[in-house]
Amino acid sequence: MLDAIDETIVQALAGNARMSLKELAHHVGLSSPSVSERLRRLEERDVIRGYTLDVNPKALGYQFQAIVRIRPLPGQLQAVQKLIEATPEFCECDKVTGEDCFVARLFLQSLEQLDGILDRIASKAETNTSIVKAQTIRRRLPPFLAQ
């Protein structure tokens, strides 16, 4: 569990992972060495796993996003997983329960590109694809649990 200061540190870094240690210390009302020690402990406890970079896919030429539900054919689970891992346009993929085994997010330059990617999977899995119109909630922290 996190105390209120740790929660404030995590929330501040979630808003700006490039915040300097001095700024973060001022934000939480502690000294820089105290905040540095808390950060070290949060990292050791695997609360903070990394500091990320948020890149706009459109600025890189990716005009479309698609969510693809993937159901491997019998005996093809490992082959499909390797195919997903080897396709760089898949930027996220979750192994899930239910009728499908994978739910993946693709970044695409064109809809024709989608056909090429799905064609490589078609002999090993069934797919169901949705084009993303808008991302109404960007990735965010889960709520902190009450102590």
Side-chain angles (χ1 to χ4, degrees), residues 15-74:
N16 178 8
R18 293 187 65 187
M19 183 180 288
S20 73
L21 190 58
K22 183 178 176 181
E23 288 176 285
L24 187 56
H26 179 72
H27 184 76
V28 299
L30 294 176
S31 68
S32 292
S34 294
V35 170
S36 179
E37 177 62 22
R38 281 180 174 266
L39 281 174
R40 185 187 61 73
R41 285 195 311 245
L42 288 167
E43 290 167 356
E44 285 177 354
R45 291 174 34 212
D46 202 33
V47 173
I48 296 176
R49 296 187 292 193
Y51 302 83
T52 64
L53 177 66
D54 185 17
V55 175
N56 180 356
K58 286 190 177 187
L60 300 177
Y62 295 98
Q63 300 304 310
F64 301 97
Q65 289 184 53
I67 304 296
V68 183
R69 295 184 359 238
I70 304 166
R71 183 185 312 168
L73 298 173

Side-chain angles (χ1 to χ4, degrees), residues 53-66 88-92 105-110 113 132 135 138:
L53 177 66
D54 185 17
V55 175
N56 180 356
K58 286 190 177 187
L60 300 177
Y62 295 98
Q63 300 304 310
F64 301 97
Q65 289 184 53
E89 290 83 4
F90 282 110
C91 63
E92 294 180 9
R105 181 179 296 267
L106 279 166
F107 285 119
L108 304 159
Q109 296 169 340
S110 67
Q113 185 183 18
V132 176
Q135 192 172 20
R138 294 184 47 79

Side-chain angles (χ1 to χ4, degrees), residues 82-118:
K82 287 180 183 178
L83 193 58
I84 293 168
E85 291 169 353
T87 305
E89 290 83 4
F90 282 110
C91 63
E92 294 180 9
C93 183
D94 295 312
K95 195 172 194 178
V96 299
T97 62
E99 291 185 23
D100 303 312
C101 290
F102 301 102
V103 176
R105 181 179 296 267
L106 279 166
F107 285 119
L108 304 159
Q109 296 169 340
S110 67
L111 293 179
E112 293 79 21
Q113 185 183 18
L114 175 63
D115 288 335
I117 292 169
L118 295 180

